[in-house]
């Protein structure tokens, strides 16, 4: 049960983005640019960063939603499962493994990122911009996870909800989840 | 020494906001709306939320900068000192004490916010929107602190740097720190 009155049919982040639209707009814009804008990291790779951070923050809504988005974009479910279970043996490139390690550090604290982990990422071919974006995406999901759980929003149990949401966010973060378009008029 | 090449004369967040301007724009817009936009919480009270979160995340740059901003807006230095040392005896209203307690929970995790702490805030007169904004401001500073420290940016030791920065951010977050206006043209 949310701590503030949110639309019952809008669970997790969706109700919050409707609750205060003037703050939702820059949050959506930042997410769209970082996760769907031009990048040498694919949208699927960037969703893996969102997934590992949300999973480690134990945010059920965000973790399930971004797992579904990553699965859809990557075309398989094994990678998200493995990065959550054991990153070191996950079927991703050495560069992605190093970037996901940095993201996992950011989840704990900015200070937890080490020179060693950054050097490892650079040695595996990560660019400065990729390192920057990894840190900022991880930091952004530390915001999202706290926003969603800090106000005690509801996380649906039906997997179909997250499949539908993933189909929408795979396209972009500027759109509302399907079926909620009528809310745009308010 | 930052992990990515940043302008040497732009420490902390200032260099990051110049490094990638298309992500900086929505970050600035979100901060401006949340911390300086219309609200029943004063800008000084909102800076206290930024301060307690940055302090507990041990982010030296953000903690010093927002302490300086809060001190300037409140016209005294005792409150920021006390909320960092012992929130329960800080010279703030019962409502602000309850909201700062919620912010301190958000710093740890979204899940750390309790029904009890939210009820205490409501009993002390906090509105739903004030609770929403407190959670989102606290979550935003969990982003900032991780962004600033996760890329190992430099925190100046000269208190005058933060005084100058506070004078600028007291006016608003859409502006660059004094002396850096020439960078806008790049």
């Amino acid at each position: 049960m949310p701590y503030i009155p949110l639309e019952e049919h809008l669970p997790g982040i969706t109700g919050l983005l409707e609750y205060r639209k003037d703050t939702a707009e820059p949050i959506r814009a930042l997410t769209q640019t970082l996760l769907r804008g031009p990048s040498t990291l694919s949208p699927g790779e960037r969703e893996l960063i969102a997934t590992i951070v949300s999973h480690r923050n134990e945010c059920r809504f965000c973790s399930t939603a971004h797992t579904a988005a990553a699965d859809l974009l990557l075309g398989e479910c094994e990678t998200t499962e493995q990065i959550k279970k054991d990153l070191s043996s996950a079927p991703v490139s050495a560069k992605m493994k190093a970037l996901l390690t940095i993201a996992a550090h950011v989840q704990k604290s900015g200070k937890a990122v080490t020179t060693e982990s950054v050097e490892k990422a650079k040695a595996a071919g990560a660019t400065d911009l990729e390192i920057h974006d990894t840190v900022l995406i991880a930091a952004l999901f530390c915001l999202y996870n706290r926003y969603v759980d800090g106000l005690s929003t509801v996380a649906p149990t039906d997997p179909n909800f997250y499949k539908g949401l993933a189909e929408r966010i795979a396209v972009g973060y500027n759109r509302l989840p399907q079926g909620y378009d009528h809310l745009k008029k308010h």
Side-chain angles (χ1 to χ4, degrees), chain A residues 49-64:
Chain A
I49 299 170
T51 300
I52 199 166
V53 170
S54 301
H55 174 70
R56 288 180 180 228
N57 276 326
E58 297 177 40
C59 180
R60 193 151 63 94
F61 183 91
C62 297
S63 179
T64 313

Side-chain angles (χ1 to χ4, degrees), chain A residues 22-89:
Chain A
D22 62 347
T23 49
E25 202 187 321
I27 293 173
R28 283 183 196 279
L30 177 60
T31 313
Q32 176 65 19
T33 300
L34 264 180
L35 277 91
R36 295 291 177 273
S39 170
T40 46
L41 298 175
S42 72
E45 286 173 327
R46 288 176 273 170
E47 286 292 337
L48 289 178
I49 299 170
T51 300
I52 199 166
V53 170
S54 301
H55 174 70
R56 288 180 180 228
N57 276 326
E58 297 177 40
C59 180
R60 193 151 63 94
F61 183 91
C62 297
S63 179
T64 313
H66 294 282
T67 297
D71 289 350
L72 183 67
L73 289 162
L74 298 173
E76 42 87 10
C77 309
E78 205 201 329
T79 304
T80 52
E81 206 180 304
Q82 271 302 321
I83 63 160
K84 288 189 258 187
K85 219 185 285 176
D86 176 21
L87 178 55
S88 66
S89 67

